[in-house]
Amino acid sequence: NAGVMQNPRHLVRRRGQEARLRCSPMKGHSHVYWYRQLPEEGLKFMVYLQKENIIDESGMPKERFSAEFPKEGPSILRIQQVVRGDSAAYFCASSAGQGATEAFFGQGTRLTVV
Amino acid sequence: SQQGEEDPQALSIQEGENATMNCSYKTSINNLQWYRQNSGRGLVHLILIRSNEREKHSGRLRVTLDTSKKSSSLLITASRAADTASYFCATVNNAGNMLTFGGGTRLMVKP
């Protein structure tokens, strides 16, 4: 049973390009969380999704950022027209239940905007 | 703002000593979870304590929860150099649908 898989592990984008970060949850998990982490800081909640539904996106910027978790396939965090300030590690976690159980984290995608 | 706040932000101890980290939160919770993160890696779940529990043990880990003070502590006994990592607390609200993390405690255990 593979763990949470995120890809790519490292992503370099030029300012103005689009970044697509993928997260495949653990088998049987239908809840996905996305977090952003700056160096030496904690994780900041971005968005919580269940299959085909966004449950809470209160931590996600209104512009340029979007997330989806389709019925088939991985969850996608999409950042349009990236800026240098978007450089960070983005972590995905999945759980089987509504957060009342432990969450399993992926290894993260490190986005660098040049 | 972050729901959980850990203190201290950084802790340096000698191998064999105990390490205590604290976490405070602001609103009612369903449960509180502690995670560990090695540098540059993802988070690993350590222990979950529910709002109706006061103390839990797992190996060298001991977690307490005081819902009246909205605080939790993580104790690592007989620390090892391999325990060097950042430790985060995360809270789950009563709707059970979100994990929010504090800024973490960076623990260094010197051999």
Side-chain angles (χ1 to χ4, degrees):
Chain A
N1 185 9
V4 178
M5 304 300 293
Q6 288 189 249
N7 69 80
R9 290 291 308 277
H10 301 274
L11 182 60
V12 179
R13 284 287 177 266
R14 295 186 185 280
R15 281 179 294 171
Q17 290 185 320
E18 178 180 287
R20 281 187 179 236
L21 289 63
R22 296 176 187 77
C23 170
S24 296
M26 284 186 70
K27 187 176 181 181
H29 286 190
S30 59
H31 299 248
V32 166
Y33 305 82
W34 283 94
Y35 296 86
R36 167 192 165 110
Q37 186 179 39
L38 295 171
E40 305 301 319
E41 293 189 10
L43 279 76
K44 293 195 184 299
F45 168 78
M46 297 183 73
V47 62
Y48 164 50
L49 310 102
Q50 292 180 30
K51 280 286 187 181
E52 301 184 271
N53 290 305
I54 295 175
I55 306 303
D56 185 340
E57 56 182 348
S58 59
M60 198 159 66
K62 295 284 188 290
E63 297 179 353
R64 302 189 299 109
F65 286 72
S66 63
E68 62 177 11
F69 189 16
K71 186 177 180 181
E72 302 291 338
S75 176
I76 306 287
L77 178 67
R78 183 182 177 206
I79 311 173
Q80 296 178 290
Q81 299 176 322
V82 296
V83 300
R84 289 233 171 97
D86 296 332
S87 296
Y90 292 84
F91 288 95
C92 162
S94 74
S95 71
Q98 277 189 314
T101 58
E102 66 180 282
F104 293 83
F105 279 79
Q107 294 297 305
T109 293
R110 277 149 192 82
L111 172 65
T112 303
V113 180
V114 297
Chain B
S1 62
Q2 292 287 62
Q3 163 75 316
E5 294 291 338
E6 293 92 341
D7 82 271
Q9 290 187 339
L11 181 61
S12 181
I13 58 174
Q14 292 294 136
E15 206 165 29
E17 293 180 338
N18 295 342
T20 300
M21 290 159 269
N22 302 298
C23 169
S24 60
Y25 57 93
K26 295 173 184 170
T27 61
S28 296
I29 62 171
N30 175 283
N31 66 77
L32 185 145
Q33 304 178 29
W34 284 91
Y35 287 80
R36 166 198 169 119
Q37 183 182 36
N38 286 72
S39 180
R41 307 294 295 274
L43 276 72
V44 175
H45 182 266
L46 294 176
I47 196 165
L48 179 155
I49 186 165
R50 302 192 187 282
S51 59
N52 61 352
E53 297 176 311
R54 291 296 167 258
E55 187 171 312
K56 248 185 142 170
H57 297 256
S58 177
R60 292 184 297 112
L61 305 180
R62 172 177 169 252
V63 169
T64 63
L65 178 65
D66 187 336
T67 52
S68 66
K69 294 181 180 178
K70 292 187 168 54
S71 67
S72 173
S73 67
L74 171 67
L75 169 67
I76 304 175
T77 60
S79 64
R80 305 167 182 166
D83 294 330
T84 295
S86 291
Y87 292 83
F88 295 90
C89 71
T91 57
V92 178
N93 62 20
N94 283 324
N97 65 1
M98 193 165 78
L99 292 176
T100 58
F101 287 83
T105 293
R106 285 177 289 286
L107 173 66
M108 175 174 288
V109 181
K110 300 174 186 175

